[in-house]
Amino acid sequence: MAHPVAILSGKKRNMGLGIALFAVTACIMAWLSGSWYLTLQQYAPLSQDMRLAWSDLYRGQMEAERLLAGESGGRPGAQTAYFRQAAERIQDAVRILRTRSALFSLDTGLIQTKDDALAFVDAINEVSTATYARIRDASTPNTMRIISQRNDFDALHVNYEKLQRSFDKAFDSRAQRLMQSGIGLMSLWIVVVMFLGFQLHGLAERFRSAAEQLRESEERWNFALEGAGDGVWDWNLAKGTLFLSRKWKEMLGFNDDELVNDFETWRSLAHPEDIDTALATINRCLSGGTDQYEHVYRMLRKDGTACWILDRGRVVARDAEGNPVRFIGTHTDITAQKLSEESARASGENLAVTLSSIGDAVIATDRDGRVTLMNPVAEKLTGWTQSSAIGKPVSAVFVIISATTKQSLPSPVEEVLRTGRTVSLSNDTTLVSRSGREFQIADSAAPIHDASGEMSGVVMVFTDVTQQYRFKRKLAESEHRFRTALDEAPFPVLLHDARGDVLMLNRQWSLLTGYEPSQVPTIHRWKDLSDPEIDPESRFSGQARSTDGEQNIRCSDGTLRTWNVSMIELGAMPDGRHITMLAAVDVTVQSETMRALQRSKKAAESANAAKTEFLANMSHEIRTPLNGIMGMMQLLVSTPLDDEQKQYVSNAISSSGRLSQLLSDVLDLSRIEAGGLVLRDECVTPSELLDAIKDLFTLGTRSSQVELALEISPGLPQHILLDGGRLRQILFNLVGNALKFTEKGHIHVRLDELAIHGGMRQLLLISVEDTGIGIPQGAMRDIFNPFYQVDGSHVRRQGGVGLGLSIVRRLVIAMGGALCIDSAEGEGTRIHLSLPFRTCAPDSGDKPETSGETPEAGLPMALGDPAALHGLNLLLVEDDPVNQLATAGLLRKSGARVTIAANGQEGLAAALSDSFDCIIMDVQMPIMDGIEATQRLRSDGRYTARAATPVVAMTAHALEGDREMCLASGMDTYVTKPATLESLAQAIASSIRLRTRRGP
């Protein structure tokens, strides 16, 4: 515009011309602008209609693919509506072109565009029809239909691009004509032409730029539509820019402003393990190796997790040399699809592994009964490999016959295909393999249904049961033999099931009872028949194995028999029933004999109890006066006597001691024979035991020519656990016997340890050897019998009643030991015995002293020092006047002060009136006995100040349990009558020591 103005201002004479030129130029410009406006007015709506039409086509394609893929959300018929709407938009564009272009019939470019548009409409209608047909026939997802649909859509896209080029070509042709017209009009005027040329050139450049931007926008828009719902990327290789859509970033968990739109962003987010293959695929497409770019790889989300991406794209522009200029594409997140594929692959592998590892044979067929799958077990049984069997009729591979008739049997697959129901074979089916080998099988076949519920084939599972079949036959034969054996058994047998139905009644049962099997249909009926008066549930109650003992069985003739009935649970039979067997033994005769024996036993036990009670009463009645006799003799010794008198008294005391020992031995023997012996383990020191033997028997050896030698093996533990009282009784009896029958020589006692079973069991080995008179060979068999004497004549030199060795033998056996004897007449005797023991630690706690218990244990009394009684204040509770006089006199002779009470009640009253150092308490007394008196002293609040006074039990009760009863009542020590002053002094001293240690 500047140039014409300058001309007019510089040459006024040419003003008119300039004005004319300006006017002409203005008219030309107006005409050109109007032409351009008309052209844009005509073509802009056409371009918009084409873009909208392509958008409708893409939506229709997306709906079609969803329906073909079986995705939820698909709308049947929507694709047809979109396709129809796209065709109508193209047809509307053609009508607009015809009505708005006056030169339509003269413009060959517009005519070609119209023809291309109509051809495109026809192509749309064909694709719509084909799409409808595919969707209608697709009951399940089918990949081939989806691929066919995409191929049709790609062909449609080619037609669209052809129409687009035709449109662009017509548009460019019109623009060129307009430009040529302008140049022709302004060629008369160079300045105007130049001016207009510059203007037109700038306008053409702007138009081309706008057209190029429009095409780029259309291509980007179209590709965005192709990837609807996916991320879009646009890579301008000429400018080096990369556009990443908002959806592309959100797919990876980023906001739109969190990522820079450049190639490095993509590189940094691509998985390190997949980036090389992705770049290689991209480069292959850019270099022209492939028309389309498609690659599946992993990308990293914002949270660091990986997702699977389907990346698709293509080069949309290349320069004149063929180098790529623009590369656009989409991202699709297929993580769920990948996981589904992986799950399907794992399921397939698991199925394959399962079919290979299960013990059953599996064959699958199609709907025509042809083999499609076999597992290894099926291959082994049929003799066919899967590769050779696939496609063959199942009847050719799975050949079955009847095991009994050997006739061919129809394949179960055929029945399943015919009926659609599961089928099982009979139990006598035999499979004939390809090699002719036969297998007994159990088989079932079931239909296979597809997703639509239609039967697509059959699966057959069968198992080799040849061994089970043989076992079943053998079991049936065994059952027959078992029934035969039971029927012929010499004792009654009955079988019944869990419901009580009798399955078998053997011949002997019927023979003994007179009942036939038909008369005993159930076990309950049998119970009613056998004895209606007995509760049936209490006779045959169900246990795994129980013996009901003797039962009175009423036979059919009314007689009663005694049976010993046992019930045995045989468990479940092959048919599932639980069988119980009742077996009985007729013990009528034995029962009568047993009852007679029981009566005899009861009578013997009563006699034995009477004997024991008699001996106990005799012991008590003898010990009480004997205690008085010995007490008086001891008092008499303390008076002035001449030698002859002293000898008389000494003999009387000795005789009393022998009588006391005899009583103890008789009671011990009676206790052992009655089974009333109780063993009490305690920690024993062997060296102290030998010291007691030395103290007791050394005095007897000093006046004779006998040497007493005592020895302990170094290997014997210092402390052993066993019944110390019985051990002392055994040793004292053996040493006493040896001393009695040995006039000169020696007596050797040795204690040793004997370990057996590798030290697992320890035995105390005791050896007592003497050089006495020995035992004749003929007397060895009876030497341990009670009251047996080797010399039973009236002139025998040794005394005794023959109970010592008998008691020793019984004690050793009761303690779990063993005893043997070796002797020869005139050469001495050797006795060896062993007793089991365990090692122990000495008891550090307080326990009752048992020095005064020896009479109860059959041992000589332990001795104490009577001088220790001097100055003590003692209470004697005794009802017998003689024992009062004797015991009180002995204690007073020893320097003690003695208060006497005649019963327990007087004793308690005396205990309240004075403080005593010790109480000597008799047990059996009138009004209140010693047990009750001691209990009251220990627990009654009135006697709290005297509750800790030591109490010594001095009683004529020497049976098993008497000692425990006394100690349990609160007494501290126990001494039996007759008691010597020394044993009584020992018991008193022990009681005082115990109470001193225990405290109040």
Side-chain angles (χ1 to χ4, degrees), residues 19 99 355 362 423 774 805 928:
I19 292 173
T99 56
L355 290 178
V362 179
V423 175
L805 288 181
M928 182 184 294

Side-chain angles (χ1 to χ4, degrees), residues 61-317:
Q61 174 67 11
M62 292 296 101
E63 289 292 336
E65 288 191 8
R66 289 191 185 96
L67 291 172
L68 290 172
E71 296 180 0
S72 60
R75 298 172 296 172
Q79 81 288 345
T80 304
Y82 281 128
F83 286 152
R84 185 183 298 114
Q85 182 172 304
E88 289 174 357
R89 290 185 189 277
I90 300 298
Q91 290 172 349
D92 290 343
V94 172
R95 284 194 296 270
I96 292 171
L97 187 61
R98 283 179 175 177
T99 56
R100 293 187 180 182
S101 178
L103 301 176
F104 182 86
S105 60
L106 302 176
D107 193 333
T108 57
L110 294 178
I111 293 173
Q112 181 63 41
T113 301
K114 185 250 322 180
D115 294 337
D116 292 338
L118 294 178
F120 186 60
V121 170
D122 293 336
I124 292 173
N125 291 330
E126 291 175 0
V127 172
S128 177
T129 301
T131 301
Y132 175 77
R134 291 189 189 98
I135 294 174
R136 180 191 60 200
D137 298 334
S139 58
T140 58
N142 191 300
T143 305
M144 295 304 299
R145 292 190 179 97
I146 296 174
I147 294 174
S148 298
Q149 180 65 24
R150 289 182 177 175
N151 291 338
D152 289 350
F153 188 77
D154 290 338
L156 195 63
H157 185 268
V158 172
N159 290 334
Y160 172 78
E161 290 182 339
K162 180 179 179 182
L163 178 61
Q164 184 68 41
R165 287 193 298 270
S166 177
F167 172 80
D168 292 341
K169 183 177 180 181
F171 189 86
D172 289 340
S173 176
R174 186 69 177 273
Q176 290 295 332
R177 285 197 302 274
L178 287 174
M179 202 164 74
Q180 290 174 1
S181 298
I183 294 173
L185 289 173
M186 291 189 298
S187 62
L188 299 173
W189 315 100
I190 293 180
V191 175
V192 177
V193 169
M194 291 177 63
F195 176 79
L196 293 176
F198 286 129
Q199 293 295 323
L200 291 173
H201 180 71
L203 183 59
E205 287 297 324
R206 288 194 297 275
F207 185 81
R208 287 192 181 95
S209 176
E212 182 179 356
Q213 291 178 2
L214 180 60
R215 284 195 299 271
E216 291 177 358
S217 177
E218 278 187 73
E219 291 169 353
R220 185 179 299 168
W221 171 256
N222 291 335
F223 209 87
L225 290 177
E226 290 178 6
D230 297 339
V232 177
W233 51 268
D234 187 347
W235 189 7
N236 191 323
L237 286 86
K239 297 180 181 179
T241 60
L242 176 63
F243 168 76
L244 302 173
S245 70
R246 178 181 57 81
K247 187 65 176 179
W248 190 97
K249 298 173 183 177
E250 290 177 351
M251 193 179 297
L252 300 179
F254 294 94
N255 294 326
D256 192 19
D257 56 354
E258 289 184 304
L259 293 177
V260 179
N261 290 343
D262 58 20
F263 184 75
E264 289 303 320
T265 296
W266 174 84
R267 183 189 290 272
S268 64
L269 293 176
H271 197 283
E273 297 178 1
D274 300 344
I275 190 169
D276 292 338
T277 57
L279 287 174
T281 308
I282 291 173
N283 290 332
R284 187 162 55 252
C285 182
L286 293 177
S287 63
T290 57
D291 294 333
Q292 298 287 336
Y293 161 68
E294 183 172 322
H295 187 60
V296 176
Y297 59 96
R298 290 169 293 174
M299 295 197 72
L300 301 177
R301 294 191 180 99
K302 183 178 180 180
D303 59 6
T305 60
C307 63
W308 285 95
I309 298 296
L310 171 61
D311 196 1
R312 292 179 290 188
R314 67 172 179 268
V315 177
V316 296

Side-chain angles (χ1 to χ4, degrees), residues 674-832:
L677 181 66
V678 178
L679 299 177
R680 302 179 186 86
D681 286 347
E682 60 178 296
C683 202
V684 177
T685 303
S687 60
E688 295 179 357
L689 186 61
L690 292 188
D691 289 342
I693 294 174
K694 183 178 180 180
D695 294 341
L696 187 63
F697 294 103
T698 299
L699 182 62
T701 61
R702 288 176 182 172
S703 59
S704 64
Q705 303 177 20
V706 179
E707 177 187 1
L708 179 62
L710 306 174
E711 181 183 2
I712 296 181
S713 170
L716 184 65
Q718 294 184 359
H719 306 284
I720 60 177
L721 185 67
L722 74 173
D723 192 323
R726 298 303 173 185
L727 177 59
R728 284 188 291 271
Q729 185 176 359
I730 291 170
L731 282 172
F732 289 173
N733 266 312
L734 293 179
V735 175
N737 264 0
L739 184 62
K740 181 165 57 174
F741 292 100
T742 304
E743 295 181 354
K744 59 180 179 178
H746 68 271
I747 299 173
H748 185 203
V749 180
R750 176 178 173 84
L751 305 183
D752 205 343
E753 179 187 16
L754 180 63
I756 60 175
H757 300 301
M760 296 296 293
R761 190 182 184 204
Q762 294 173 296
L763 296 176
L764 174 64
L765 182 61
I766 301 175
S767 300
V768 178
E769 180 182 351
D770 65 60
T771 57
I773 62 174
I775 303 172
Q777 193 65 30
M780 293 289 288
R781 184 179 59 183
D782 302 319
I783 193 64
F784 291 108
N785 291 337
F787 305 106
Y788 179 77
Q789 295 282 346
V790 174
D791 184 5
S793 65
H794 296 290
V795 295
R796 58 190 177 96
R797 300 172 58 186
Q798 289 79 19
V801 294
L803 291 177
L805 288 181
S806 178
I807 292 175
V808 167
R809 179 175 178 272
R810 285 166 169 75
L811 288 177
V812 169
I813 294 174
M815 296 173 71
L819 179 145
C820 66
I821 187 169
D822 179 24
S823 180
E825 189 173 7
E827 297 181 5
T829 303
R830 291 168 295 280
I831 297 178
H832 306 280

Side-chain angles (χ1 to χ4, degrees), residues 586-748:
D586 192 332
V587 294
T588 306
V589 177
Q590 297 92 319
S591 179
E592 289 295 332
T593 304
M594 184 60 67
R595 283 193 285 271
L597 289 175
Q598 289 176 348
R599 289 192 295 269
S600 300
K601 179 175 179 292
K602 187 175 181 180
E605 289 175 348
S606 299
N608 191 45
K611 181 189 73 173
T612 301
E613 184 178 359
F614 169 75
L615 289 175
N617 290 332
M618 288 300 296
S619 172
H620 181 271
E621 296 304 321
I622 293 175
R623 286 176 183 274
T624 300
L626 187 61
N627 187 63
I629 294 172
M630 289 188 67
M632 290 300 180
M633 290 297 103
Q634 293 177 76
L635 284 175
L636 188 58
V637 168
S638 64
T639 62
L641 299 173
D642 56 26
D643 293 340
E644 184 178 1
Q645 292 173 330
K646 289 181 179 180
Q647 182 64 37
Y648 294 157
V649 172
S650 175
N651 290 340
I653 293 175
S654 176
S655 297
S656 298
R658 289 175 58 190
L659 179 58
S660 175
Q661 185 62 42
L662 175 60
L663 285 174
S664 297
D665 288 345
V666 170
L667 286 177
D668 272 342
L669 182 62
S670 176
R671 185 183 301 123
I672 294 172
E673 288 180 344
L677 181 66
V678 178
L679 299 177
R680 302 179 186 86
D681 286 347
E682 60 178 296
C683 202
V684 177
T685 303
S687 60
E688 295 179 357
L689 186 61
L690 292 188
D691 289 342
I693 294 174
K694 183 178 180 180
D695 294 341
L696 187 63
F697 294 103
T698 299
L699 182 62
T701 61
R702 288 176 182 172
S703 59
S704 64
Q705 303 177 20
V706 179
E707 177 187 1
L708 179 62
L710 306 174
E711 181 183 2
I712 296 181
S713 170
L716 184 65
Q718 294 184 359
H719 306 284
I720 60 177
L721 185 67
L722 74 173
D723 192 323
R726 298 303 173 185
L727 177 59
R728 284 188 291 271
Q729 185 176 359
I730 291 170
L731 282 172
F732 289 173
N733 266 312
L734 293 179
V735 175
N737 264 0
L739 184 62
K740 181 165 57 174
F741 292 100
T742 304
E743 295 181 354
K744 59 180 179 178
H746 68 271
I747 299 173
H748 185 203

